[in-house]
């Protein structure tokens, strides 16, 4: 079960400032030397950083639901009449048309402000522990310093992903640094890489100490993994004031960043403190609040049982309070409709990731059942109320942690970096473990031959396999940006939507209808025919006979046209859906503007002018 995060009353009353606030923080009445020389008090201060993750409009209610959409594998799940609507503020956060006045974000307490609140808490802890913590002689206190440095890096990394160049605050707020301009992401990356290199010296490996027996605490494995992730971002493409390009800073040259990523990932893999296990088990453990360190999960944003909207947003939709949850939520975001068909049918990741059903509003004997959704409203299935060990009773929160990093990411980052530095033959050894658990051996061997043919072929394999492995985990957008291919892949996604809707190109031959019924064995499981490529109309009669022989002659088999809205005889995947994936050039609009409320209160120091992509 989850550990209870300890928080001090002092930390919860600190006035932590965003880049636009007008007053310096009030001073604590508790002597700073006592606070940061006493482990329990210092730990409480470091753990208070987690409060900023869970604030209403921070990661919980704004960043996790919206950042990372839309991509070639993730999209809002058909919730709006017009996906290309620039004036619908939830949709415009995702379709690359965001305004600084967006009503979902343009508030004093949104994610941008809460990230700086967490940074201020981290800054106070870092200064205090350095001064009073005696880290040379107290390794547990050194661990706390490493955690504070790492959590600050998490927040800054996500600020850069979300907003690009942002103010640099690496010391506590004071009267001299209230108003700050944007700082180049290059400078921020250089600082974060140095901070994490330092933090590595302080943090314990998973299970090396009681502190790191849980995935809710920072371990050396996470520090190294985060440093690898930031290095790949720093060495890749990003939106700068003069265009979409790689950094010109010699310190952030791609070859140097690949070398860092390679070494950090190999350190984690060779240490063996984490193991892959099965793909499904990783997500079951996440839903079951199993935070024991040493499995695939490396670090999770910790939410208490009454906080966090992870399943609420990314889980399978439940339309009623039913046998699995007292919260009728989920299904806000889902996979792009073609992702299911792009998977190899034998890839075990497909049917865990792409779910064509939700849970009924109708209750029979108090229980709901799985019902077919629509081709434009797929669910992600990695997170499920039905996998939980507790019944969610909150109307707004589910308390499941957000898995920020897992071991499969380490293997695939290693493979990517090694391919660039040493070639595909050496890199294959680090892609293979991820594929071995997903596909039959013969198909893994076929992919080996395909991917190791050249460095470019292996890179293409990385692009594909990171899509299949991490869809719905908010890694894809940052990947597409740093690879420099976001425009190409989003254009491909738009064309795939149209091809699938018209059943042309790679999607030719798919059946018109999907046939379905509820299994009488448990009165909840949906059984379908027509979703698989080989389930054609000519086989319906034989399938129907087999189902009646297996489940009984009285089963009630229904059918629906999967591609056509028969009410108005229009395509379900139409031009509006395709165009709604993006309405401006993605590479030039891949970051959000700083919200107007912060610009107005910045004493003229902040602006969106001169930044490409601002509308």
């Amino acid at each position: 079960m989850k550990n209870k995060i300890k928080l001090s009353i002092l930390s919860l009353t600190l006035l932590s400032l965003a880049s636009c606030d007008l007053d310096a923080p009030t001073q604590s009445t508790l002597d700073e030397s006592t606070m940061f020389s006493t482990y329990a008090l210092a730990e409480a201060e470091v753990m208070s950083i987690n409060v900023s993750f869970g604030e209403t409009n921070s990661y919980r209610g704004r960043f996790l639901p919206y950042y990372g959409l839309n991509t070639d594998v993730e999209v809002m799940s058909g919730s709006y009449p017009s996906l290309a609507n620039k004036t619908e503020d939830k949709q415009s956060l995702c379709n690359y048309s965001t305004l600084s006045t967006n009503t979902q974000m343009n508030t004093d307490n949104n994610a941008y402000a809460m990230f700086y609140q967490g940074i201020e808490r981290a800054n106070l802890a870092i200064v205090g522990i350095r001064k009073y913590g005696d880290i040379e002689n107290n390794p547990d206190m050194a661990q706390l310093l490493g955690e504070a440095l790492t959590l600050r890096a998490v927040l800054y990394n996500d600020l850069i992903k979300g907003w690009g160049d942002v103010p640099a605050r690496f010391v506590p707020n004071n009267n001299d640094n209230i108003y700050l301009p944007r700082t180049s992401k290059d400078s921020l990356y250089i600082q974060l890489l140095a901070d994490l290199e330092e933090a590595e010296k302080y943090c314990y490996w998973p299970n090396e100490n009681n502190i790191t027996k849980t995935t809710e605490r920072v371990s050396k494995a996470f520090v190294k993994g985060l440093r690898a992730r930031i290095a790949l971002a720093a060495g890749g493409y990003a939106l700068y004031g003069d265009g979409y390009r790689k950094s010109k800073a010699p310190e952030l040259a791609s070859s140097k960043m690949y070398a860092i990523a390679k070494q950090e990932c190999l350190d984690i893999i060779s240490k063996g403190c984490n193991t892959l296990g099965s793909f499904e088990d990783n997500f079951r453990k996440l839903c079951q609040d199993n935070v024991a360190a040493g499995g695939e999960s490396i670090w999770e944003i910790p939410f208490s049982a009454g906080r966090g909207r992870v399943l609420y947003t990314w889980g399978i939709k439940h339309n009623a309070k039913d046998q699995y949850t007292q919260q009728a939520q989920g299904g806000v975001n889902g996979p792009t409709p073609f992702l299911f068909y792009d998977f190899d049918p034998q890839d075990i990741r497909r049917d865990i990731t792409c779910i064509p059903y939700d849970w009924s509003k109708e209750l029979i004997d108090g229980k709901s059942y799985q019902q077919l959704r629509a081709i434009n409203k797929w669910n992600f299935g990695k997170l499920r109320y039905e996998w939980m060990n507790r019944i969610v009773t909150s109307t707004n929160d589910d308390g499941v942690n957000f898995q920020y990093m897992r071991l499969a990411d380490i293997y695939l980052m290693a493979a990517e970096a090694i391919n660039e530095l040493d070639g595909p033959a050496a890199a294959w050894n680090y892609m293979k473990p991820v594929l071995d658990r997903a596909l039959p051996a013969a198909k893994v061997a076929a992919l080996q031959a395909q991917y190791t043919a050249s460095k470019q072929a292996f890179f293409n394999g990385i692009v594909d396999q990171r899509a299949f492995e991490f869809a719905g985990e908010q890694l894809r957008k940052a990947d597409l940006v740093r690879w420099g291919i976001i425009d190409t892949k989003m254009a491909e996604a738009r064309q795939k939507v149209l091809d699938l809707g018209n059943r042309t190109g790679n999607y030719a031959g798919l059946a018109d209808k999907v046939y379905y019924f509820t299994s009488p064995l448990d009165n909840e499981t949906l059984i379908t025919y027509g979703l698989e490529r080989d389930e054609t109309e000519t086989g319906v009669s034989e399938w129907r006979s087999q189902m009646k022989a297996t489940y009984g002659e009285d089963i009630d088999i229904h059918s629906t046209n999967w591609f056509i809205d028969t009410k108005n005889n229009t395509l379900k995947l139409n031009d509006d859906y395709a165009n709604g994936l993006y309405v401006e050039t993605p590479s030039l609009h891949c970051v959000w503007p700083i919200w107007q409320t912060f610009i107005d209160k910045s004493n003229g120091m902040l602006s969106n002018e001169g930044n490409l992509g601002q509308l």
Side-chain angles (χ1 to χ4, degrees):
M1 295 300 291
K2 294 184 184 183
N3 291 343
K4 187 179 289 184
I5 297 296
K6 298 182 225 176
L7 303 171
S8 73
I9 298 299
L10 172 63
S11 289
L12 295 177
T13 57
L14 282 175
L15 179 59
S16 302
L17 303 182
S19 60
C20 62
D21 290 316
L22 304 180
D23 299 308
T26 56
Q27 294 298 310
S28 165
T29 57
L30 182 62
D31 182 72
E32 188 180 24
S33 64
T34 301
M35 182 192 313
F36 291 111
S37 63
T38 306
Y39 178 82
L41 295 176
E43 182 185 42
E45 294 308 307
V46 173
M47 292 302 96
S48 77
I49 302 167
N50 290 297
V51 174
S52 298
F53 290 105
E55 297 285 6
T56 297
N57 291 329
S58 184
Y59 281 87
R60 169 201 173 269
R62 289 297 181 269
F63 196 73
L64 294 181
Y66 296 115
Y67 177 77
L69 299 171
N70 294 335
T71 71
D72 58 341
V73 298
E74 295 142 336
V75 68
M76 277 192 166
S77 195
S79 302
Y80 301 97
S82 175
L83 292 177
N85 190 342
K86 286 188 179 183
T87 62
E88 207 298 315
D89 281 344
K90 289 183 179 180
Q91 191 60 36
S92 67
L93 281 173
C94 308
N95 65 16
Y96 305 88
S97 66
T98 314
L99 300 175
S100 64
T101 53
N102 185 284
T103 58
Q104 292 293 309
M105 291 289 198
N106 188 33
T107 61
D108 290 339
N109 68 343
N110 77 80
Y112 180 87
M114 294 300 100
F115 287 11
Y116 275 106
Q117 179 193 76
I119 286 167
E120 175 66 5
R121 287 173 170 159
N123 286 341
L124 290 165
I126 290 165
V127 170
I129 295 172
R130 286 194 193 281
K131 190 172 183 179
Y132 300 109
D134 191 21
I135 61 173
E136 293 81 5
N137 299 304
N138 189 334
D140 286 358
M141 198 68 82
Q143 162 76 25
L144 292 180
L145 176 57
E147 288 194 73
L149 287 166
T150 304
L151 293 175
R152 185 173 70 179
V154 168
L155 290 160
Y156 261 119
N157 183 46
D158 287 341
L159 276 167
I160 295 168
K161 287 193 305 182
W163 291 272
D165 295 343
V166 294
R169 291 188 173 277
F170 290 98
V171 296
N173 294 314
N174 58 66
N175 289 327
D176 295 326
N177 69 355
I178 294 173
Y179 304 110
L180 292 175
R182 290 177 182 255
T183 299
S184 166
K185 65 180 68 65
D186 290 352
S187 298
L188 295 171
Y189 279 140
I190 290 168
Q191 178 71 51
L192 298 180
L193 291 170
D195 285 349
L196 292 171
E197 186 175 27
E198 179 185 3
E200 290 178 11
K201 303 172 185 176
Y202 304 143
C203 290
Y204 296 111
W205 286 103
N207 289 312
E208 184 182 357
N209 180 279
N210 283 333
I211 298 172
T212 55
K213 286 186 178 296
T214 167
T215 56
E216 294 183 330
R217 295 294 292 269
V218 169
S219 68
K220 193 187 296 286
F222 178 57
V223 180
K224 286 178 168 290
L226 182 61
R227 191 164 185 258
R229 182 180 287 179
I230 289 175
L232 290 176
Y237 286 81
L239 183 60
Y240 288 84
D242 59 351
Y244 178 59
R245 59 171 174 80
K246 288 187 175 183
S247 171
K248 298 176 183 178
E251 303 97 316
L252 301 179
S254 294
S255 59
K256 293 181 180 179
M257 296 300 98
Y258 281 127
I260 288 175
K262 171 186 173 180
Q263 189 59 57
E264 298 291 16
C265 291
L266 291 185
D267 286 352
I268 297 166
I269 294 168
S270 63
K271 186 66 177 179
C273 287
N274 294 87
T275 56
L276 275 177
S278 84
F279 185 77
E280 180 176 322
D281 282 351
N282 171 68
F283 299 105
R284 282 187 175 271
K285 288 179 179 178
L286 184 63
C287 291
Q288 292 166 1
D289 302 327
N290 184 336
V291 295
E296 180 164 357
S297 186
I298 294 178
W299 185 70
E300 301 168 10
I301 294 178
F303 290 117
S304 66
R307 206 64 179 156
R309 303 176 77 170
V310 177
L311 265 71
Y312 182 104
T313 305
W314 296 91
I316 297 178
K317 174 67 175 177
H318 285 246
N319 290 288
K321 297 178 180 180
D322 58 31
Q323 67 269 36
Y324 294 113
T325 179
Q326 293 299 290
Q327 179 185 91
Q329 295 295 346
V332 177
N333 300 329
T336 46
F338 51 79
L339 182 61
F340 175 86
Y341 301 98
D342 288 353
F343 270 102
D344 186 296
Q346 291 183 289
D347 192 326
I348 63 96
R349 297 172 295 188
R350 184 193 70 169
D351 293 346
I352 296 168
T353 303
C354 302
I355 304 298
Y357 61 79
D358 57 20
W359 289 85
S360 68
K361 186 174 183 179
E362 178 189 30
L363 299 179
I364 300 176
D365 295 329
K367 296 182 178 181
S368 64
Y369 52 89
Q370 296 169 2
Q371 58 183 17
L372 190 66
R373 249 191 165 194
I375 194 171
N376 59 344
K377 294 184 179 181
W378 287 78
N379 280 283
F380 283 118
K382 291 177 176 178
L383 301 169
R384 311 186 187 198
Y385 292 97
E386 49 270 35
W387 283 352
M388 296 180 68
N389 288 333
R390 55 186 168 83
I391 297 292
V392 176
T393 57
S394 168
T395 57
N396 294 317
D397 295 82
D398 50 73
V400 171
N401 286 351
F402 180 80
Q403 191 170 69
Y404 198 88
M405 181 173 288
R406 57 188 177 94
L407 188 60
D409 192 16
I410 303 302
Y411 274 104
L412 291 180
M413 286 193 293
E416 179 182 346
I418 292 170
N419 177 55
E420 295 296 329
L421 296 172
D422 307 314
W428 171 253
N429 292 329
Y430 299 94
M431 181 184 281
K432 186 176 186 295
V434 176
L435 298 186
D436 280 343
R437 70 174 183 178
L439 289 159
K443 294 202 169 179
V444 174
L447 288 177
Q448 178 180 4
Q450 175 184 337
Y451 292 162
T452 58
S454 68
K455 183 180 289 188
Q456 183 62 47
F458 195 90
F459 172 76
N460 294 341
I462 287 287
V463 172
D464 288 346
Q465 292 307 320
R466 286 187 69 88
F468 296 139
E469 184 71 24
F470 301 119
E473 298 180 54
Q474 292 185 302
L475 296 179
R476 188 63 170 179
K477 183 176 180 180
D479 281 345
L480 295 179
V481 170
R482 69 181 177 83
W483 287 329
I485 61 174
I486 188 168
D487 293 341
T488 300
K489 297 303 285 187
M490 292 306 295
E492 288 179 6
R494 179 177 282 178
Q495 188 60 51
K496 283 183 176 182
V497 166
L498 297 175
D499 288 348
L500 178 59
N502 290 287
R503 283 171 292 164
T504 57
N506 190 42
Y507 309 106
L510 293 173
D512 293 342
K513 295 181 179 180
V514 174
Y515 296 81
Y516 61 95
F517 66 94
T518 303
S519 169
L521 301 182
D522 60 10
N523 295 315
E524 66 176 41
T525 300
L526 182 71
I527 296 174
T528 67
Y529 178 91
L531 288 176
E532 301 288 353
R533 288 178 179 269
D534 60 353
E535 293 178 344
T536 62
E537 195 70 26
T538 57
V540 172
S541 179
E542 180 181 355
W543 173 80
R544 189 188 298 269
S545 297
Q546 290 175 346
M547 293 302 100
K548 287 184 175 291
T550 301
Y551 294 100
E553 290 293 329
D554 59 343
I555 59 171
D556 192 7
I557 298 177
H558 305 274
S559 68
T560 186
N561 195 304
W562 193 232
F563 297 95
I564 303 294
D565 183 346
T566 55
K567 292 180 180 179
N568 51 27
N569 198 34
T570 59
L571 289 173
K572 294 178 182 177
L573 297 178
N574 51 27
D575 287 345
D576 178 74
Y577 189 101
N579 293 335
L581 292 177
Y582 61 96
V583 297
E584 301 289 347
T585 304
S587 64
L588 301 183
H589 299 265
C590 59
V591 294
W592 290 322
I594 292 180
W595 313 119
Q596 194 64 41
T597 185
F598 303 117
I599 292 175
D600 292 344
K601 298 174 183 177
S602 70
N603 202 28
M605 297 296 282
L606 292 178
S607 172
N608 288 313
E609 294 180 8
N611 296 306
L612 287 176
Q614 303 306 329
L615 298 174

